[in-house]
Amino acid sequence: LTDQKVDGKDRPLLTHFDRNGFGYTLDRATGELLVAEKFDPVVNWATKVDMEKGSKNYGRPLVDPRYSPEATGEDETTTGICPGAIGAKNEQPAAYSPGTHLFYVPTNHICMSYEPFQVTYSPGVPFVGATVTLQPHESSPETGRFIAWDGVGGRIVWSNAEPFSVWSGALATAGDVVFYGTLEGYLKAVDAKSGKELYRFKTPSGIIGNVTTYLHRGRQYVAVLSGVGGWAGIGLAAGLTDPADGAGAVGGYAALSRYTALGGQLTVFALPER
């Protein structure tokens, strides 16, 4: 929730980064849809969101049939769907800076192949109804991006590529420094305006926790909990080997075991005293 100027007028806004790859900005008082744009340029399952207020599809995505399992039907594999089932963004929180008026968003830059089939629900058994495999987009081997997003303009201001999905939360500070963690285990600090990396520290395990900061006896601290897991890290965390397990996450992130190990640790950094 932010308060920003839109067309020169102050408006109360709600900005949401959906798993479907679109960043939405609405007037939170009226519900009016102001922005609906792709926050990952490789998103292809829909061409755009219909913004024509008189249209019967207003506010809805316009699906591209080339990447629609519904169009191909059961027991047929549709390839190259972006984003993958894991979503262009999942539960990892974004951050907002009132100073830059930008959102800082951890994202999944990943695609999938999808084969739907009939399945009967059984309690306690994963209920997906499809064979899913995850893979990087053909344009690059990385599966993660950490981006700065203009929620009023509906555009990426800068984007940092990461080898794996960025599964940690983001922290924006008044000093124009933004923190986030990576699945390999790095805590990173970047310039809020340019995205330039300022600092990194390798923690013992992949970071899926949220970076936080606090003040104690006049000194500021930054803390992060590391310990690989979550959907992207489920293969390593649970010892799974079938590439299709975890709705394709085991195969999509199989290389993660070469970069980090299991384990949980809270790492706390003290900022330099002035």
Side-chain angles (χ1 to χ4, degrees), residues 67-259:
Y67 303 103
S68 171
E70 184 177 18
T72 52
E74 290 180 14
D75 303 317
E76 297 291 335
T77 301
T78 304
T79 61
I81 306 170
C82 307
I86 207 164
K89 181 183 174 298
N90 206 275
E91 95 299 334
Q92 57 269 55
Y96 175 75
S97 170
T100 63
H101 303 292
L102 298 175
F103 291 88
Y104 301 95
V105 192
T107 73
N108 311 311
H109 180 72
I110 197 165
C111 305
M112 70 176 174
S113 298
Y114 190 95
E115 180 190 3
F117 54 82
Q118 285 286 345
V119 62
T120 301
Y121 173 69
S122 298
V125 177
F127 186 61
V128 179
T131 299
V132 180
T133 57
L134 298 175
Q135 60 274 148
H137 187 262
E138 59 185 10
S139 65
S140 61
E142 299 88 1
T143 58
R145 294 284 191 275
F146 187 77
I147 68 168
W149 176 261
D150 178 353
V152 173
R155 65 185 183 93
I156 297 171
V157 175
W158 53 256
S159 176
N160 289 352
E162 293 289 349
F164 301 101
S165 293
V166 185
W167 212 258
S168 82
L171 170 69
T173 70
D176 282 341
V177 177
V178 176
F179 294 88
Y180 67 98
T182 73
L183 278 177
E184 314 101 280
Y186 286 105
L187 174 71
K188 293 188 175 183
V190 299
D191 185 284
K193 296 178 181 177
S194 68
K196 178 183 177 181
E197 186 174 312
L198 306 172
Y199 175 79
R200 69 165 61 185
F201 181 89
K202 184 69 163 63
T203 66
S205 185
I207 298 174
I208 64 171
N210 301 324
V211 190
T212 187
T213 187
Y214 58 92
L215 197 68
H216 178 63
R217 294 182 178 177
R219 193 167 188 183
Q220 188 175 5
Y221 296 82
V222 173
V224 65
L225 185 67
S226 60
V228 70
W231 193 349
I234 192 173
L236 178 58
L240 304 176
T241 57
D242 187 333
D245 282 348
V250 173
Y253 298 88
L256 186 58
S257 61
R258 300 202 299 265
Y259 293 84

Side-chain angles (χ1 to χ4, degrees), residues 30-80:
T30 66
E32 180 185 355
L33 180 60
L34 304 173
V35 173
E37 298 290 345
K38 298 175 182 180
F39 60 87
D40 186 340
V42 304
V43 169
N44 60 17
W45 74 276
T47 55
K48 64 178 183 178
V49 169
D50 190 342
M51 299 295 289
E52 295 295 328
K53 292 185 178 180
S55 169
K56 65 179 181 179
N57 293 314
Y58 173 58
R60 296 192 60 82
L62 303 180
V63 176
D64 188 333
R66 295 176 298 171
Y67 303 103
S68 171
E70 184 177 18
T72 52
E74 290 180 14
D75 303 317
E76 297 291 335
T77 301
T78 304
T79 61

